[in-house]
Amino acid sequence: MSGDADLRPGEVTVDLPPATDAQLRFIGKIRTPFQTPADCPRQGDPEEGPVCRLELIPELEPALEGIERSSWLEVLYWLDRSRRDLVLQSPKRDGRTRGTFSLRSPVRPNPIGLSRVRLVRHFGTVLEVRGLDCLDGTPLLDIKPDRCDHAVRERAAHRDGDDAG
Amino acid sequence: MSGDADLRPGEVTVDLPPATDAQLRFIGKIRTPFQTPADCPRQGDPEEGPVCRLELIPELEPALEGIERSSWLEVLYWLDRSRRDLVLQSPKRDGRTRGTFSLRSPVRPNPIGLSRVRLVRHFGTVLEVRGLDCLDGTPLLDIKPDRCDHAVRERAAHRDGDDAG
């Protein structure tokens, strides 16, 4: 994925030390209707977008306990087809060159994708959600209750002296 | 970090396959005034919180080009002191047992922290930001323009036919 033939005008790569600082474990897989990059929307739509599935490995089923209390989730995933050495990028949509960290492009030194999604349903090791824009089969890294949603719920629990959200 | 002596009532661990699915490269370091876990606020405050620093490795300085166009950023970092095998957790503040993915605890299979911060200043390889709650010295993984802020700016650029935000 690091050949230079596909670089656009203005794009710059950099030689980085090997990626050996920490290791990830894929916790499952994301199923979406998007089979090629051209199928992926530019940004997921948590209201009107298609229902997608987060499928966890069986060992982690207990870690989903209580997840229904959050209607919004943050999903982290591994963009496994992305090159990691671009520091300046010229996105196809306008060709203007910008630094990698000022873009939400999948191409970055640590290609971690992040989407805010709406929880539709939970059964067993599966969460059905709306709002994803990644390829079918993308490896899953983490699921967190959305920070805004979470803060509101925690404040309410504190106020009511219980956790009913 | 995986001894069981520090487990709280209700907490459950699980044996997971080794974490060898993908590798991370630390892109820099986070400097905060928080030297011990007890110093860390429960959630960063992007308005009133202390100014903290994201210090990138020199090779990545060009990747910050244009970052000032975003007043809000998402910062991803590696919670390198966290155990990774807890599926049920009983947070100290209330002792109620919940699944790991229904909590924003630093303890998770892939201990990636995520904060939304306000950009104060950019010079060279340094970003000064408000809104972090992590320990001083935490390894940095990624910086993204905040998705809401970004969407608004991109729509404005499209409408105006230029990128002035």
Side-chain angles (χ1 to χ4, degrees):
Chain A
M1 303 295 280
S2 294
D4 286 350
D6 55 345
L7 290 183
R8 300 193 188 100
E11 291 190 330
V12 170
T13 64
V14 71
D15 280 328
L16 288 172
T20 53
D21 293 317
Q23 296 200 304
L24 296 169
R25 165 190 297 141
F26 297 158
I27 62 166
K29 194 177 279 196
I30 302 182
R31 307 315 307 253
T32 73
F34 314 125
Q35 300 300 324
T36 71
D39 295 338
C40 297
R42 258 202 66 210
Q43 192 163 9
D45 181 341
E47 305 295 340
E48 308 286 329
V51 173
C52 302
R53 291 162 68 106
L54 311 179
E55 298 179 349
L56 264 76
I57 57 175
E59 296 94 319
L60 292 175
E61 181 170 349
L64 290 174
E65 197 177 301
I67 196 81
E68 307 81 358
R69 298 173 60 238
S70 300
S71 44
W72 291 91
L73 303 172
E74 288 176 326
V75 179
L76 279 71
Y77 43 91
W78 188 247
L79 298 157
D80 55 348
R81 308 199 197 177
S82 295
R83 64 187 296 163
R84 301 174 67 165
D85 60 347
L86 271 192
V87 287
L88 290 177
Q89 301 184 40
S90 309
K92 193 160 67 168
R93 66 181 183 282
D94 63 12
R96 280 187 297 117
T97 305
R98 278 158 286 188
T100 289
F101 298 129
S102 71
L103 292 166
R104 290 185 69 91
S105 155
V107 170
R108 40 211 323 118
N110 292 302
I112 299 171
L114 168 61
S115 289
R116 184 168 178 264
V117 303
R118 192 182 263 283
L119 178 59
V120 176
R121 195 156 73 108
H122 166 209
F123 52 99
T125 57
V126 173
L127 299 182
E128 289 184 343
V129 302
R130 288 184 199 270
L132 289 169
D133 55 15
C134 61
L135 285 169
D136 187 42
T138 297
L140 184 61
L141 295 178
D142 197 11
I143 302 167
K144 301 178 195 286
D146 185 69
R147 74 173 85 66
C148 305
D149 195 38
H150 190 63
V152 169
R153 193 158 43 74
E154 293 281 318
R155 275 198 302 275
H158 183 75
R159 201 176 51 231
D160 301 345
D162 95 19
D163 66 341
Chain B
M1 303 293 282
S2 294
D4 286 349
D6 56 346
L7 290 183
R8 301 194 187 98
E11 292 190 328
V12 170
T13 63
V14 70
D15 279 328
L16 288 172
T20 53
D21 292 317
Q23 297 201 304
L24 295 169
R25 164 191 297 142
F26 297 159
I27 62 166
K29 193 177 278 195
I30 302 182
R31 307 315 306 255
T32 73
F34 313 125
Q35 301 300 326
T36 71
D39 295 338
C40 297
R42 258 202 66 213
Q43 191 163 10
D45 180 341
E47 305 294 342
E48 308 286 329
V51 173
C52 301
R53 292 162 68 106
L54 311 179
E55 299 179 346
L56 266 75
I57 58 175
E59 296 92 320
L60 291 175
E61 181 171 350
L64 290 174
E65 197 177 301
I67 196 80
E68 306 82 358
R69 298 173 59 238
S70 300
S71 44
W72 291 91
L73 303 172
E74 288 176 325
V75 179
L76 279 71
Y77 42 91
W78 188 246
L79 299 156
D80 54 348
R81 308 200 197 176
S82 297
R83 65 188 294 163
R84 302 174 67 166
D85 60 346
L86 272 191
V87 287
L88 291 176
Q89 300 184 40
S90 310
K92 193 160 69 168
R93 67 180 182 282
D94 63 12
R96 280 188 296 115
T97 305
R98 279 158 285 189
T100 289
F101 298 129
S102 72
L103 292 166
R104 291 186 69 91
S105 155
V107 170
R108 40 211 322 119
N110 293 302
I112 299 171
L114 168 60
S115 289
R116 184 167 179 264
V117 304
R118 192 182 263 283
L119 178 60
V120 176
R121 195 157 73 109
H122 166 210
F123 52 100
T125 56
V126 174
L127 299 182
E128 288 184 344
V129 302
R130 287 185 200 271
L132 289 169
D133 56 15
C134 62
L135 284 170
D136 187 41
T138 297
L140 184 62
L141 295 178
D142 197 11
I143 302 166
K144 301 178 195 285
D146 184 69
R147 74 174 85 67
C148 305
D149 194 40
H150 190 63
V152 169
R153 194 158 43 73
E154 293 281 318
R155 276 199 302 276
H158 184 74
R159 201 175 52 229
D160 304 342
D162 96 17
D163 66 343

